[in-house]
Amino acid sequence: MSGSRHVLPGAAVLAVALLAGCQGGTDDGAGGDGVPVSVERLAEMADEVGPDGSDTCPLPYDFAKAASTAKITGEAGDGAAAGDDEPAATAENGYKAEKGAPFADNPGGLVSCWFHVGGQSVEVHLVAAEKPQPESLLAPVLVRVSGQDAEELDPYLRRTEKGEPGTPVLGTTGDYATVRVEPEGEGHAALLLTLGEPEGPGLGEDQLSALSRALYEQIS
């Protein structure tokens, strides 16, 4: 992914159920009355973020509202927790996918945004692809976050493959969760939450699951 160690190289963007007016912190989230974003608009979002990342998330998450819905206390908002030097957003417009790149055999797109609640940083990845299981393209991210190797992640990815839209599937190490998303039109999509190293108490599994569900509801 361009501009960040969290982003995989190369992808072709597909349609996902998103809204126009996609600045982070909107009141209505993506479940309001806005117009769904087209394939072209999602590609434009990635270009707007640029190769070096952006200081704003182009997607309409209201993270503070999601944290409140999940009954998680602590100041919540855009960007990683204090001390984490990360762009607020990274993205991939994969129309230029190179042969051999992770997305080359399953063209898709990805936008990743950092948020925080208290001292806990949360990275929210939205990934879409033509073929099933676009979340498998984020296996390197899961390896980095969890410390597990690819073989250890195989059973988890088999579980996410069978997951129902809107139902979070928690990772065995408790620091990542995937929610399958129904994209608009053809293709497949998933929302993946990964946790950074917390300053102080971090999120528990129940909190991560509830937060994943609350964010899913904002884009479905």
Side-chain angles (χ1 to χ4, degrees), residues 178-204:
T178 300
V179 187
R180 187 161 302 289
V181 176
E182 289 281 4
E184 182 177 77
E186 298 295 326
H188 305 266
L191 189 70
L192 171 67
L193 271 63
T194 56
L195 302 181
E197 288 293 331
E199 290 291 335
L203 298 184

Side-chain angles (χ1 to χ4, degrees):
M1 302 170 186
S2 58
S4 171
R5 58 190 170 87
H6 308 304
V7 185
L8 303 175
V13 177
L14 286 190
V16 179
L18 305 173
L19 295 180
C22 294
Q23 293 299 320
T26 58
D27 291 333
D28 295 333
D33 298 325
V35 178
V37 169
S38 67
V39 174
E40 293 78 11
R41 178 56 187 145
L42 191 57
E44 289 171 3
M45 284 185 195
D47 289 336
E48 289 165 6
V49 170
D52 297 323
S54 170
D55 59 2
T56 58
C57 181
L59 300 173
Y61 305 118
D62 186 336
F63 189 81
K65 182 177 180 179
S68 177
T69 299
K71 303 187 185 307
I72 301 172
T73 60
E75 186 273 332
D78 298 347
D84 285 352
D85 184 19
E86 301 285 354
T90 55
E92 185 66 32
N93 178 348
Y95 284 116
K96 301 175 182 177
E98 298 178 359
K99 184 178 180 180
F103 279 105
D105 293 329
N106 188 10
L110 174 67
V111 175
S112 301
C113 299
W114 279 102
F115 299 96
H116 68 273
V117 55
Q120 176 72 75
S121 294
V122 182
E123 193 168 18
V124 181
H125 314 265
L126 183 60
V127 60
E130 290 181 349
K131 300 176 185 177
Q133 277 207 286
E135 68 272 18
S136 66
L137 302 173
L138 296 178
V141 175
L142 295 178
V143 168
R144 173 183 54 79
V145 168
S146 68
Q148 298 173 298
D149 60 33
E151 289 185 359
E152 290 175 300
L153 289 170
D154 281 345
Y156 176 73
L157 293 174
R158 286 197 293 271
R159 287 196 291 134
T160 65
E161 182 179 19
K162 299 175 182 178
E164 293 293 329
T167 301
V169 180
L170 289 168
T172 56
T173 56
D175 45 16
Y176 57 95
T178 300
V179 187
R180 187 161 302 289
V181 176
E182 289 281 4
E184 182 177 77
E186 298 295 326
H188 305 266
L191 189 70
L192 171 67
L193 271 63
T194 56
L195 302 181
E197 288 293 331
E199 290 291 335
L203 298 184
E205 290 186 358
D206 289 346
Q207 291 175 314
L208 178 58
S209 180
L211 182 61
S212 301
R213 186 178 296 108
L215 288 168
Y216 163 84
E217 290 171 354
Q218 292 182 4
I219 59 166
S220 62

